[in-house]
């Protein structure tokens, strides 16, 4: 049995990867280490805890807490660390940059220290296409491009990436990094645009579209991202970064139309609102480096969005209880009267 420490495994992508990895690697034992912030949710792992009892353990802890991280390392002796833990929402980073620096930069440093001290076969960092900043058509960001982040979130992620590369170079920690585009699929917290728009549309609430809605994102299915991460763990070279995305960009307005059409709701639900400060216009990745390892995307945008809409329609038990308390306070602060 190989023990794998998956930090942030109770969040959206982390929980999808935990399920994916336990199904795929019958010789893996997964230890999820997660602080359970507002975005972390043990409901995301409910089926995993039941199905993989004996190969799955959960530890509640903060990656910025050195003692807690070192204790988990002593107790579980993982061969691999895969770090999904982060503060992840751009709009929240504009409200509270400090928490992003603590988790996404300092927390990454603590995990790298643990990897260095205890020794691991691989430390893998989950990063984002946002570290490149926006890019004009027809260009695509490659792994060697300069980092040019726009928000406190993306700057913190860029800081984390640079720390990983430094620990590889200076201390020989075998690090790899994947930089993924926007993920969609089951268990995404409904502050992110796709689940926000789906759940609002189900309830006939407005879809707050920032600015002119012509910004472009590469919305990929979370399981395609999981494939990419897993492949890099298996075949990626230490010290290297790999982009992961479908390579197809969709305008936000078209994404909103796709959701409304799938739910048979009127386009009049779209409500243009004030733009996000520093809003990146377009992300687009060159994914040839990952393709060269044998990766290809299994879902088109149409399949990914349809799968996602269906999941939210069928799993209202999961998201209805999230849209209360802290969520509503945040929603009011972010959207004011435009959100209702
Ligand atoms: P998420 O917000 O859904 O989940 C984050 C998880 O990290 C939660 O379970 C939370 O409790 C945990 N966490 C936060 N701070 C922590 C801390 N200090 N210590 C321990 N756990 C902590 O995030 P997500 O969308 O699943 O993103 C996961 C990773 O993927 C992040 O690193 C993010 O930057 C990256 N990423 C996300 C996307 C996307 O589209 N969502 C795309 C590319 C990369
Ligand atoms: O690109 C990868 C990144 O994708 C990840 O690193 C981040 O963790 C993840 O949150 C996501 O960042 P974005 O800012 O692209 O995602 P978000 O869902 O917040 O917004 C997607 C697009 O939709 C963006 O252009 C802003 C727009 N938007 C967003 C919200 C929340 C709206 O028009 N209205 C909204 O209410």
């Amino acid at each position: 049995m190989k023990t794998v420490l998956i930090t942030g495994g109770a969040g959206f992508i982390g929980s999808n990867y935990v399920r994916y990895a336990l199904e795929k690697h019958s010789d893996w034992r997964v230890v999820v280490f997660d602080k359970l912030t507002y975005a972390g949710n043990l409901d995301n792992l409910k089926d995993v805890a039941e199905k993989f009892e004996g190969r799955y353990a959960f530890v509640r802890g903060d990656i910025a807490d050195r003692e807690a991280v070192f204790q988990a390392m002593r107790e579980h002796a993982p061969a691999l660390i895969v770090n999904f833990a982060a503060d992840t929402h751009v709009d929240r980073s504009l409200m509270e940059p400090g928490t992003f620096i603590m988790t996404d930069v300092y927390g990454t440093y603590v995990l790298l220290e643990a990897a260095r001290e205890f020794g691991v076969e691989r430390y893998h960092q989950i990063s984002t296409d946002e570290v490149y900043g926006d890019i004009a058509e027809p260009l695509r960001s490659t792994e060697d491009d300069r980092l040019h982040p726009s928000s406190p979130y993306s700057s913190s992620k860029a800081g984390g990436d640079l720390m990983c590369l430094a620990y590889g170079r200076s201390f020989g920690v075998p690090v790899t990094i994947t930089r993924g585009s926007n993920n969609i699929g089951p268990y995404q917290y409904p502050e992110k645009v796709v689940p926000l728009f789906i759940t609002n549309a189900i309830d006939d609430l407005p879809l707050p579209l920032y600015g002119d809605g012509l910004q472009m994102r590469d919305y990929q299915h979370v399981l395609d991202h999981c494939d990419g991460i897993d492949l890099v763990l298996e075949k990626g070279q230490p010290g290297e970064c790999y982009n992961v995305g479908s390579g197809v960009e969709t305008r936000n307005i078209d994404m909103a139309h796709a959701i409304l059409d799938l739910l048979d709701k009127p386009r009049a639900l779209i409500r243009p609102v004030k733009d996000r400060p520093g809003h990146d216009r377009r992300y687009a990745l060159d994914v040839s480096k990952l393709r060269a390892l044998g990766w290809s995307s299994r879902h088109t945008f149409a399949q990914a969005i349809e799968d996602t809409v269906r999941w939210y329609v069928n799993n209202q038990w999961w998201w209805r209880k999230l849209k209360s308390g802290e969520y509503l306070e945040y929603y009011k602060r972010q959207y004011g009267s435009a959100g209702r």
Side-chain angles (χ1 to χ4, degrees), residues 16-281:
N16 275 283
Y17 182 69
V18 167
R19 187 176 295 102
Y20 171 104
L22 282 165
E23 264 158 20
K24 184 165 170 190
H25 304 284
S26 54
D27 60 336
W28 278 21
R29 181 177 168 265
V30 165
V31 178
V32 170
F33 183 97
D34 196 297
K35 186 179 174 181
L36 296 182
T37 65
Y38 75 92
N41 184 351
L42 287 179
D43 276 352
N44 300 1
L45 292 166
K46 215 165 140 190
D47 58 321
V48 168
E50 285 158 16
K51 189 167 171 194
F52 298 102
E53 208 196 334
R55 289 205 291 129
Y56 163 79
F58 179 80
V59 176
R60 186 168 191 180
D62 184 340
I63 60 164
D65 177 347
R66 183 185 170 97
E67 213 13 74
V69 169
F70 277 45
Q71 176 54 30
M73 294 295 288
R74 273 191 292 273
E75 198 173 327
H76 296 286
L80 309 176
I81 300 176
V82 186
N83 179 31
F84 291 88
D87 268 312
T88 61
H89 194 37
V90 172
D91 293 321
R92 289 190 192 244
S93 82
L94 296 164
M95 294 175 182
E96 293 164 28
T99 57
F100 287 72
I101 297 165
M102 268 315 282
T103 292
D104 303 8
V105 184
Y106 189 81
T108 298
Y109 147 74
V110 170
L111 291 175
L112 288 164
E113 276 290 299
R116 178 185 174 202
E117 173 83 16
F118 291 87
V120 288
E121 284 171 27
R122 182 73 64 83
Y123 172 92
H124 184 73
Q125 177 79 352
I126 307 299
S127 185
T128 167
D129 58 4
E130 298 206 6
V131 296
Y132 301 118
D134 52 8
I135 184 156
E137 288 186 80
L139 301 174
R140 297 184 165 276
S141 303
T142 71
E143 290 82 354
D144 294 329
D145 282 1
R146 71 175 178 153
L147 303 190
H148 196 234
S150 309
S151 69
Y153 162 67
S154 49
S155 307
S156 303
K157 292 296 292 184
D161 283 18
L162 294 176
M163 198 60 76
C164 290
L165 295 173
Y167 267 66
R169 179 93 189 248
S170 302
F171 305 124
V173 176
V175 295
T176 41
I177 299 175
T178 42
R179 296 186 176 139
S181 67
N182 291 61
N183 284 220
I184 59 175
Y187 302 106
Q188 186 169 30
Y189 191 78
E191 68 188 349
K192 306 286 164 54
V193 75
V194 166
L196 171 66
F197 281 11
I198 296 171
T199 55
N200 275 14
I202 290 173
D203 285 345
D204 298 305
L205 290 169
L207 276 48
L209 186 70
Y210 294 161
D212 60 9
L214 300 182
Q215 309 83 5
M216 295 169 99
R217 294 291 184 272
D218 174 346
Y219 292 102
Q220 66 170 325
H221 197 289
V222 64
L223 293 178
D224 288 333
H225 191 193
C226 290
D227 280 342
I229 293 163
D230 211 60
L231 187 63
V232 169
L233 277 171
E234 190 197 338
K235 293 190 177 158
Q237 290 304 309
E240 294 293 321
C241 303
Y242 298 86
N243 291 338
V244 189
S246 73
V248 176
E249 301 90 54
T250 304
R251 298 184 313 173
N252 285 335
I253 182 82
D254 297 326
M255 169 273 293
H257 288 164
I259 290 171
L260 291 169
D261 291 353
L262 284 163
L263 290 169
D264 205 15
K265 296 283 182 176
R267 291 187 177 183
L269 280 178
I270 295 174
R271 179 169 301 171
V273 297
K274 198 159 124 299
D275 207 352
R276 170 188 282 173
H279 197 169
D280 281 332
R281 197 72 183 160

Side-chain angles (χ1 to χ4, degrees), residues 326-337:
E326 193 275 346
Y327 178 89
L328 291 182
E329 276 169 37
Y330 163 77
Y331 193 81
K332 202 168 151 199
R333 190 170 166 200
Q334 176 65 15
Y335 300 101
S337 57

Side-chain angles (χ1 to χ4, degrees), residues 284-302:
L285 291 174
D286 179 328
V287 290
S288 47
K289 190 168 173 183
L290 188 67
R291 283 193 199 287
L293 294 186
W295 178 89
S296 62
S297 165
R298 284 190 279 147
H299 303 81
T300 61
F301 171 73

